[in-house]
Amino acid sequence: MLSIQNLTKTYPGGVRALRGISLEIPPGMFGLLGPNGAGKSTLMKILATLLDPDTGSAHLDSLDLIANKNTTRQLLGYLPQEFGVYPKMSAIDLLSHLAVMKGITNRSERKELVEGLLQQTNLWDLRKKNLGGFSGGMKQRFGIAQALLANPKLIIVDEPTAGLDPAERNRFLNLLSSIGQNVVVILSTHIVDDVSELCSRMAMISNGELLIEGSPAQTLETIKGRVWTKIVKTDAEREAIEKSLHVISTHLVGGLHAVRVYSESSPGDGFTAIDADLEDVYFLTLSRHERN
Ligand code: ADP
């Protein structure tokens, strides 16, 4: 269990990136959802020992992550937002090199580990290709391979799917979900579908504050039966709805506006009930937070 207590961080210049975040994170996939600037990377960097908080603590079982950086690094797999690679090295050479840096000095043990990880991340056929020629998705999968090198107990993945095409994203998410259930995996993202497809537990942060925490299903319960939709043909009709109802979001569908609103009872007037999804929770929570 990863236990985070009251973490705060203010950057020089005065930006309050974290305003007292506390979270209990069990083994399995945990989604940390929030818009850009919410404080996700700041939190990920603190957990990855790259940044010190101003106050607060983080423990993985009994290990104090902030006080014991060296021990923490040995059981940590971290995939940063931008994973830099040596463009002129092949995947297999760089992974072997990183394995040496992690202290895996026995040749045959290292070979077995590196080859296994290249297969697990579906990079076996690309192992001799220079990393400079890798696509975004291939680089992210290589990032996971290196994050798994030390048999980590805590895996931190910061905004991994931004910029991936749908097929690459799919492959990447499948890879993440195949990682053991005994490991704490934190996936930070602003993409709601990453969390709803993959994570058994989640939290939402904005402006350095924790807004919700629970399973995606629990958060959906809070708005069940209160989301309604209608296809709207004109801008004038859409604007009239925005004035009179609580609009959650508007999506274009074939050039028409599909408006989703939050309402305790049916708004009538052509609206039909629709199953709430995590994106509804996300937009509603953010708009309530902004109004406060
Ligand atoms: P997210 O990962 O959710 O996009 P960040 O943790 O990167 O959010 O940023 C949170 C806030 O802190 C933002 O307002 C951002 O501009 C600010 N910030 C991030 N890094 C720094 C830094 N090194 N110096 C000053 N401000 C920063």
Side-chain angles (χ1 to χ4, degrees):
M1 189 77 142
L2 174 65
S3 178
I4 296 171
Q5 295 295 328
N6 198 30
L7 285 180
T8 64
K9 179 72 191 179
T10 300
Y11 283 109
V15 177
R16 292 177 68 195
L18 299 178
R19 300 168 188 246
I21 298 280
S22 299
L23 282 170
E24 296 293 322
I25 304 185
M29 291 288 309
F30 187 91
L32 182 71
L33 188 61
N36 288 332
K40 303 182 297 297
S41 282
T42 302
L43 180 56
M44 299 298 97
K45 282 181 197 154
I46 291 172
L47 298 176
T49 75
L50 300 173
L51 189 68
D52 276 322
D54 298 332
T55 67
S57 67
H59 288 82
L60 185 65
D61 298 324
S62 59
L63 174 69
D64 181 334
L65 300 185
I66 292 157
N68 301 287
K69 292 196 170 53
N70 285 335
T71 314
T72 301
R73 284 174 196 152
Q74 281 162 23
L75 48 80
L76 173 77
Y78 177 53
L79 176 58
Q81 220 169 66
E82 285 185 13
F83 181 66
V85 291
Y86 297 93
K88 295 212 168 119
M89 266 177 109
S90 69
I92 192 162
D93 286 348
L94 182 55
L95 201 55
S96 302
H97 171 73
L98 293 170
V100 175
M101 309 296 281
K102 287 261 180 190
I104 305 157
T105 45
N106 180 297
R107 248 173 191 276
S108 59
E109 186 193 339
R110 185 164 70 238
K111 183 167 185 287
E112 194 178 329
L113 176 70
V114 163
E115 292 185 356
L117 285 171
L118 288 168
Q119 273 162 356
Q120 188 184 347
T121 52
N122 223 335
L123 291 172
W124 181 250
D125 293 345
L126 300 164
R127 66 191 181 282
K128 291 184 182 149
K129 190 177 159 86
N130 280 355
L131 290 156
F134 271 29
S135 70
M138 292 171 195
K139 273 191 199 144
Q140 290 300 66
R141 279 185 281 136
F142 182 81
I144 287 291
Q146 65 81 31
L148 290 175
L149 269 175
N151 194 17
K153 300 283 172 290
L154 171 64
I155 297 178
I156 294 175
V157 196
D158 197 1
E159 298 269 1
T161 62
L164 300 192
D165 72 35
E168 283 182 328
R169 174 175 169 273
N170 216 358
R171 208 173 295 135
F172 183 80
L173 293 182
N174 281 328
L175 171 63
L176 266 192
S177 76
S178 72
I179 293 171
Q181 283 298 305
N182 300 326
V183 183
V184 174
V185 185
I186 307 180
L187 165 72
S188 130
T189 182
H190 64 274
I191 300 171
V192 179
D193 285 344
D194 285 357
V195 174
S196 50
E197 287 168 26
L198 213 59
C199 299
S200 49
R201 308 275 309 168
M202 60 163 286
M204 224 184 109
I205 66 171
S206 178
N207 208 10
E209 285 177 64
L210 180 69
L211 305 187
I212 39 178
E213 182 187 4
S215 69
Q218 279 167 342
T219 67
L220 284 178
E221 274 303 310
T222 60
I223 59 167
K224 196 175 170 193
R226 296 175 196 165
V227 180
W228 311 83
T229 187
K230 180 182 179 180
I231 302 282
V232 172
K233 292 199 179 70
T234 65
D235 283 343
E237 197 181 350
R238 181 171 57 86
E239 281 159 19
I241 291 172
E242 277 167 1
K243 282 199 186 103
S244 61
L245 291 166
H246 184 162
V247 173
I248 303 170
S249 61
T250 304
H251 294 282
L252 278 170
V253 181
L256 302 173
H257 299 286
V259 182
R260 290 169 87 95
V261 304
Y262 176 84
S263 173
E264 303 273 326
S265 56
S266 170
D269 192 25
F271 276 94
T272 54
I274 190 164
D275 284 341
D277 61 28
L278 201 56
E279 195 175 85
D280 296 323
V281 176
Y282 181 69
F283 284 136
L284 273 170
T285 309
L286 282 183
S287 72
R288 282 180 187 145
H289 181 63
E290 273 159 24
R291 249 181 281 155
N292 288 338

